[in-house]
Amino acid sequence: MSKMSAINKYRLERWCYLHHLKPVAWIIRSWIYFIHNSYVPYTCTIGRGTEFGYKGIGLVIHSEAKIGNDCMIGTNVTIGGGAGKSNKAIPEYDSIRSIVPVIGDRVHVGTGAKILGPIVIGDDVIVGANAVVIKDVPARAVVGGGAS
Protein backbone atom coordinates (compact mmCIF):
# COMPACT_ATOMS: atom_id res chain seq x y z
CA MET A 1 0.00 0.00 0.00
CA SER A 2 1.40 3.35 -1.01
CA LYS A 3 1.74 5.98 1.71
CA MET A 4 0.45 8.55 -0.76
CA SER A 5 -2.83 6.77 -1.49
CA ALA A 6 -6.20 8.34 -0.75
CA ILE A 7 -7.11 5.56 1.71
CA ASN A 8 -4.17 6.44 3.95
CA LYS A 9 -5.12 10.10 3.85
CA TYR A 10 -8.73 9.12 4.63
CA ARG A 11 -7.60 7.14 7.68
CA LEU A 12 -5.64 10.15 8.92
CA GLU A 13 -8.55 12.56 8.34
CA ARG A 14 -10.96 10.11 10.02
CA TRP A 15 -8.66 9.90 13.05
CA CYS A 16 -8.56 13.70 13.24
CA TYR A 17 -12.36 13.88 12.95
CA LEU A 18 -12.89 11.28 15.70
CA HIS A 19 -10.47 13.16 17.96
CA HIS A 20 -12.30 16.48 17.47
CA LEU A 21 -9.71 17.98 15.13
CA LYS A 22 -12.21 18.89 12.41
CA PRO A 23 -10.19 21.77 10.90
CA VAL A 24 -7.24 19.42 10.34
CA ALA A 25 -9.59 16.75 8.95
CA TRP A 26 -11.04 19.32 6.56
CA ILE A 27 -7.55 20.25 5.33
CA ILE A 28 -6.73 16.58 4.70
CA ARG A 29 -10.04 16.09 2.88
CA SER A 30 -9.14 19.05 0.67
CA TRP A 31 -5.71 17.52 0.09
CA ILE A 32 -7.37 14.28 -1.09
CA TYR A 33 -9.58 16.30 -3.41
CA PHE A 34 -6.73 18.22 -5.01
CA ILE A 35 -4.17 15.41 -5.21
CA HIS A 36 -6.41 12.49 -6.16
CA ASN A 37 -9.41 14.31 -7.69
CA SER A 38 -11.52 12.38 -5.19
CA TYR A 39 -14.09 13.17 -2.55
CA VAL A 40 -13.59 10.83 0.41
CA PRO A 41 -15.12 12.58 3.43
CA TYR A 42 -14.06 11.86 6.99
CA THR A 43 -17.69 11.21 7.99
CA CYS A 44 -18.09 8.08 5.83
CA THR A 45 -17.12 4.74 7.36
CA ILE A 46 -14.53 2.58 5.60
CA GLY A 47 -13.48 -0.73 7.16
CA ARG A 48 -10.05 -2.16 7.88
CA GLY A 49 -8.09 -3.54 4.97
CA THR A 50 -10.11 -1.72 2.32
CA GLU A 51 -8.01 -0.43 -0.57
CA PHE A 52 -8.51 2.02 -3.41
CA GLY A 53 -7.24 1.12 -6.86
CA TYR A 54 -4.51 3.25 -8.40
CA LYS A 55 -4.18 5.37 -5.25
CA GLY A 56 -7.87 6.37 -5.27
CA ILE A 57 -8.14 8.54 -8.35
CA GLY A 58 -11.61 9.88 -9.16
CA LEU A 59 -13.60 8.44 -6.24
CA VAL A 60 -16.80 10.03 -4.97
CA ILE A 61 -18.09 8.60 -1.71
CA HIS A 62 -21.18 9.94 0.06
CA SER A 63 -20.50 11.38 3.51
CA GLU A 64 -22.74 8.78 5.19
CA ALA A 65 -21.75 5.71 3.14
CA LYS A 66 -20.54 2.56 4.88
CA ILE A 67 -17.93 0.32 3.27
CA GLY A 68 -16.93 -2.95 4.94
CA ASN A 69 -13.59 -4.60 5.62
CA ASP A 70 -11.14 -5.90 3.00
CA CYS A 71 -12.88 -4.31 0.01
CA MET A 72 -11.25 -3.14 -3.22
CA ILE A 73 -12.71 0.02 -4.75
CA GLY A 74 -11.58 0.80 -8.31
CA THR A 75 -10.90 4.20 -9.83
CA ASN A 76 -13.69 6.59 -10.86
CA VAL A 77 -16.24 4.86 -8.63
CA THR A 78 -19.26 6.69 -7.22
CA ILE A 79 -20.84 5.45 -4.00
CA GLY A 80 -23.67 7.87 -3.47
CA GLY A 81 -27.09 8.61 -2.18
CA GLY A 82 -30.40 8.69 -3.89
CA ALA A 83 -33.72 10.38 -3.53
CA GLY A 84 -35.95 9.41 -0.66
CA LYS A 85 -35.39 7.46 2.50
CA SER A 86 -36.25 3.90 3.42
CA ASN A 87 -36.95 2.60 6.91
CA LYS A 88 -36.46 -1.03 5.89
CA ALA A 89 -34.39 -2.84 8.51
CA ILE A 90 -31.14 -4.44 7.41
CA PRO A 91 -30.72 -7.69 9.37
CA GLU A 92 -26.93 -7.87 8.88
CA TYR A 93 -26.50 -4.38 10.28
CA ASP A 94 -27.84 -2.95 13.51
CA SER A 95 -29.09 0.26 11.96
CA ILE A 96 -31.85 1.54 9.71
CA ARG A 97 -31.22 2.00 6.02
CA SER A 98 -30.68 5.63 5.08
CA ILE A 99 -30.32 7.23 1.65
CA VAL A 100 -26.84 5.82 1.01
CA PRO A 101 -25.38 2.44 0.14
CA VAL A 102 -24.05 -0.01 2.71
CA ILE A 103 -21.33 -2.22 1.26
CA GLY A 104 -20.43 -5.48 2.98
CA ASP A 105 -17.04 -7.12 3.54
CA ARG A 106 -14.70 -8.39 0.82
CA VAL A 107 -16.53 -6.58 -1.99
CA HIS A 108 -14.68 -5.78 -5.21
CA VAL A 109 -16.04 -2.72 -7.05
CA GLY A 110 -14.72 -2.40 -10.60
CA THR A 111 -13.50 0.76 -12.26
CA GLY A 112 -16.20 3.28 -13.12
CA ALA A 113 -19.01 1.55 -11.20
CA LYS A 114 -21.86 3.59 -9.75
CA ILE A 115 -23.54 2.37 -6.57
CA LEU A 116 -26.51 4.61 -5.86
CA GLY A 117 -29.35 4.90 -3.40
CA PRO A 118 -30.49 3.17 -0.22
CA ILE A 119 -29.17 -0.27 -1.10
CA VAL A 120 -27.20 -3.05 0.57
CA ILE A 121 -24.44 -4.92 -1.18
CA GLY A 122 -23.78 -8.19 0.63
CA ASP A 123 -20.45 -9.77 1.53
CA ASP A 124 -18.15 -11.30 -1.11
CA VAL A 125 -19.78 -9.50 -4.06
CA ILE A 126 -18.10 -8.51 -7.31
CA VAL A 127 -19.44 -5.38 -9.02
CA GLY A 128 -18.25 -5.23 -12.62
CA ALA A 129 -16.56 -2.28 -14.26
CA ASN A 130 -18.96 0.52 -15.24
CA ALA A 131 -21.93 -1.24 -13.62
CA VAL A 132 -24.79 0.88 -12.33
CA VAL A 133 -26.18 -0.72 -9.17
CA ILE A 134 -29.51 0.62 -7.88
CA LYS A 135 -30.94 -2.50 -6.21
CA ASP A 136 -29.83 -4.69 -3.32
CA VAL A 137 -27.24 -7.34 -4.16
CA PRO A 138 -27.21 -10.59 -2.15
CA ALA A 139 -24.00 -12.03 -0.71
CA ARG A 140 -21.66 -13.93 -3.03
CA ALA A 141 -23.13 -12.47 -6.24
CA VAL A 142 -21.60 -10.97 -9.35
CA VAL A 143 -23.31 -7.95 -10.96
CA GLY A 144 -22.50 -5.96 -14.07
CA GLY A 145 -24.03 -3.76 -16.73
CA GLY A 146 -26.65 -1.07 -16.41
CA ALA A 147 -29.58 -3.19 -15.29
CA SER A 148 -28.12 -4.30 -11.95
Side-chain angles (χ1 to χ4, degrees), residues 55-123:
K55 298 184 182 181
I57 294 175
L59 298 177
V60 177
I61 301 176
H62 192 280
S63 61
E64 296 176 22
K66 292 178 177 57
I67 301 172
N69 297 321
D70 301 315
C71 295
M72 173 52 94
I73 311 297
T75 60
N76 296 311
V77 168
T78 299
I79 300 172
K85 190 172 185 106
S86 173
N87 291 327
K88 181 178 172 185
I90 305 169
E92 304 91 272
Y93 301 92
D94 58 354
S95 63
I96 300 297
R97 184 185 311 240
S98 68
I99 61 169
V100 296
V102 175
I103 297 175
D105 296 335
R106 299 169 305 281
V107 173
H108 181 95
V109 180
T111 297
K114 309 299 181 237
I115 300 172
L116 305 170
I119 63 173
V120 174
I121 296 185
D123 295 340

